[in-house]
Amino acid sequence: TMLPLLLLLLPAAHGIARVPDTPKLTEDPRVEGLTTGTTFVLEQPRCFFQDYGDAVIWLVVALDEATSTFNDSAGPGTPETAFQGFPSPVRAYMTLNATLGSYPCPKPDGEITVLRVGSETSCARDATRPTCNGPLPGPGPYRVKFLALQGSEPVADTDWSSPIMLRTAKSPDSISTTGSGHSAGMIAITTILSILFAILLAALVAMLVFWGSDSCGGSSTFSKPEAVTVRRYNTHHVYDQPAA
Amino acid sequence: MAKSDDCVHILQGLLVFGNVVIGICGIALTAECIYFVSNPDGLHPLLKATENSDIYAAAWIGIFVGLALFALSILGIIGVIKASRTLLLVYIILMLITFAFEMASCITAATNRDSLTPELFLKQMLERYQKSDPANNSDNEVTKTWDELMLQNHCCGVLGPSDWQDYTSAFRNTHSDADYPWPRTCCVLDAQGLPVSLDGCKLGVPGYYNSNGCYDAISGPVNTHAWGVAWFGFAILCWTFCVLLGTMFYWSGIDY
């Protein structure tokens, strides 16, 4: 009988307040790099922790399946929460600490207030920087929450976000470059030109076959060269003196 | 007889006129093809790298066909006026050969244009842009051409900056995804050539990066080029067809 009572008392004894906000990916402005292969962009926790004026707000990034086992009292910067050990053996790390002053409430219009998770590449392998905001090692899914610490005591946190999947890149070999067929213009050009060429060849053959014969209609229209031309060949053609 | 002379004169006049037009069009075709071959849009390295640069072969053929048409049109005019069977027979046969070459050029240009799809350029860009140890010079050319293309047209990738995210690439092998979601040339640059806001560019905030793809900037000039060669050549050939038929008819009526 003591056990249920103890269990009931535990959350109260836990001392962490749950603020009614959830971290989410940035919606305004719409950024192209909302999720990339190794980073994602969150909205800043403005107006989340108003009652905790002197707290330091940390971001906890966890594997999807590790959210239930995360210990809020694990301090930042310890080997249990070091980025360099993520995802194995560290299943959730803490990074991006900031005081409440960095997140003034309400958010001024026109400012872009985002947190880019995964943007620090210089310290990704530096064990002396366990709170590094390093690039994520895989496509996820990941879940995040904000945790407010006063001194080293956790005092408030948010809900875990919904799972965040990052982008996976395909190989360029998967792009098929086989043509999408021929356009109508190309087919038109080919057929019409082929037909014209065939007609010309046929006409050439007909022309050569009937060479010399006057059987073609219309030959009588110019069987004689012009009168002017005949004059030039006077020495050869003794007939057909034109009338003066 | 006067009437038949008039018919002869009219036919001769039409043939001379037809040949004059062919001569002028031949010069125009040569000029147009020289313009395309001189690579005014700087896209030659990209097309060469696709190993399918038949569009340039078609343009080269067009240059010589244009000159041949001009020369043959002069021969045709002389042959028609002199009513010489030999000259006209030579003219007809050479014109048929030129017709065949120009036909090949038109069909090649049109077919090749159809093969230049966005996927082709996308694959080439992903495999060759900023390749770290280029096997041959053409990869450097591809990189330089893409950089100039992206700078001048304020565009990124073939379909958009997400090309660099959706596919692995030679660029991705040497540049980390967190620092370079897409190349720096996709960022809006200031007068010194530096990004106006590097963070804005990496995030992909509208106004600090180029969100359009470059495919329109590529396909525009390539289309003009290909259809310029193909359709103008087609028009010339249709006209030449009529003139040749008239010449054959005229030839068969000449009497020695």
Side-chain angles (χ1 to χ4, degrees):
Chain A
T1 52
M2 286 297 286
L3 198 56
L5 205 57
L6 273 176
L7 284 175
L8 266 177
L9 282 173
L10 259 174
H14 209 211
I16 287 209
R18 174 61 52 94
V19 298
D21 303 284
T22 316
K24 54 190 203 303
L25 294 174
T26 307
E27 278 154 16
D28 173 48
R30 294 221 54 89
V31 291
E32 178 110 23
L34 190 67
T35 56
T36 69
T38 57
T39 68
F40 58 92
V41 183
L42 291 174
E43 271 184 16
Q44 288 183 355
R46 302 256 170 151
C47 312
F48 281 17
F49 296 104
Q50 289 317 102
D51 301 327
Y52 305 93
D54 54 346
V56 175
I57 303 172
W58 289 82
L59 177 73
V60 182
V61 180
L63 298 171
D64 190 14
E65 58 268 15
T67 53
S68 45
T69 56
F70 178 70
N71 181 1
D72 289 329
S73 306
T78 61
E80 291 84 33
T81 57
F83 167 77
Q84 286 76 18
F86 186 77
S88 155
V90 172
R91 317 258 281 150
Y93 67 97
M94 296 175 74
T95 183
L96 275 179
N97 54 314
T99 58
L100 201 55
S102 310
Y103 302 135
C105 179
K107 167 176 108 69
D109 274 337
E111 273 188 25
I112 298 176
T113 55
V114 296
L115 289 177
R116 188 162 182 247
V117 180
S119 62
E120 280 189 87
T121 48
S122 51
C123 56
R125 303 224 196 280
D126 185 357
T128 60
R129 295 274 324 272
T131 57
C132 179
N133 180 21
L136 294 158
Y142 302 102
R143 297 177 79 174
V144 300
K145 76 170 183 179
F146 289 104
L147 185 61
L149 299 180
Q150 270 174 347
S152 55
E153 286 299 311
V155 292
D157 70 352
T158 65
D159 266 327
W160 287 101
S161 68
S162 44
I164 297 170
M165 284 289 305
L166 301 181
R167 300 213 221 180
T168 29
K170 303 190 282 271
S171 159
D173 297 331
S174 62
I175 304 172
S176 89
T177 54
T178 54
S180 58
H182 298 296
S183 65
M186 176 257 168
I187 294 180
I189 286 182
T190 310
T191 38
I192 294 178
L193 287 183
S194 310
I195 293 173
L196 293 186
F197 193 58
I199 294 176
L200 281 179
L201 284 180
L204 178 70
V205 166
M207 188 180 90
L208 293 175
V209 162
F210 292 119
W211 186 350
S213 80
D214 288 332
S215 59
C216 274
S219 59
S220 58
T221 56
F222 45 95
S223 58
K224 288 185 177 144
E226 322 186 310
V228 174
T229 320
V230 171
R231 235 178 243 133
R232 274 205 285 258
Y233 296 107
N234 253 346
T235 50
H236 300 284
H237 301 283
V238 295
Y239 57 90
D240 263 349
Q241 293 293 332
Chain B
M1 200 174 316
K3 192 172 170 197
S4 69
D5 276 349
D6 281 344
C7 282
V8 172
H9 286 319
I10 290 173
L11 188 58
Q12 279 184 330
L14 284 176
L15 288 179
V16 167
F17 171 69
N19 278 298
V20 166
V21 171
I22 288 180
I24 295 174
C25 289
I27 297 289
L29 182 68
T30 301
E32 185 196 22
C33 291
I34 289 181
Y35 173 68
F36 287 136
V37 165
S38 71
N39 191 25
D41 305 296
L43 293 175
H44 194 171
L46 288 187
L47 291 174
K48 234 173 48 161
T50 65
E51 276 140 39
N52 202 0
S53 54
D54 285 343
I55 281 193
Y56 282 98
W60 276 106
I61 294 179
I63 293 178
F64 294 113
V65 162
L67 291 174
L69 284 177
F70 178 69
L72 284 177
S73 70
I74 295 179
L75 177 69
I77 291 174
I78 296 174
V80 162
I81 290 181
K82 283 180 121 176
S84 152
R85 276 202 148 191
T86 329
L87 277 184
L88 283 182
L89 188 61
V90 167
Y91 166 82
I92 288 173
I93 293 187
L94 287 181
M95 265 296 209
L96 279 177
I97 295 176
T98 311
F99 190 99
F101 271 103
E102 179 60 16
M103 198 169 92
S105 162
C106 288
I107 294 177
T108 306
T111 312
N112 203 250
R113 162 67 199 92
D114 288 343
S115 75
L116 294 175
T117 52
E119 288 78 30
L120 187 70
F121 288 112
L122 180 62
K123 193 160 178 177
Q124 177 202 84
M125 179 186 79
L126 292 171
E127 287 173 356
R128 302 222 198 179
Y129 179 74
Q130 298 232 10
K131 202 156 154 189
S132 52
D133 51 350
N136 47 17
N137 210 23
S138 77
D139 291 336
N140 280 337
E141 293 288 323
V142 170
T143 302
K144 272 202 313 216
T145 307
W146 270 107
D147 281 334
E148 270 178 37
L149 198 62
M150 293 200 275
L151 283 173
Q152 278 168 15
N153 296 292
H154 305 295
C155 59
C156 184
V158 173
L159 304 167
S162 293
D163 291 343
W164 304 104
Q165 289 294 316
D166 293 335
Y167 297 95
T168 60
S169 54
F171 175 76
R172 183 60 62 226
N173 290 342
T174 46
H175 296 80
S176 72
D177 173 82
D179 282 331
Y180 295 88
W182 32 76
R184 289 282 185 263
T185 32
C186 291
C187 302
V188 172
L189 302 177
D190 60 15
Q192 279 82 31
L194 298 171
V196 168
S197 161
L198 188 56
D199 287 328
C201 179
K202 287 200 262 187
L203 280 173
V205 179
Y208 295 102
Y209 78 113
N210 302 321
S211 53
N212 307 324
C214 294
Y215 182 65
D216 288 335
I218 297 174
S219 71
V222 168
N223 270 342
T224 315
H225 177 162
W227 293 129
V229 171
W231 284 111
F232 188 47
F234 178 74
I236 292 177
L237 287 183
C238 287
W239 181 264
T240 308
F241 171 77
C242 299
V243 170
L244 275 180
L245 275 187
T247 312
M248 287 184 193
F249 179 67
Y250 180 74
W251 185 91
S252 59
I254 297 176
D255 200 61
Y256 265 109

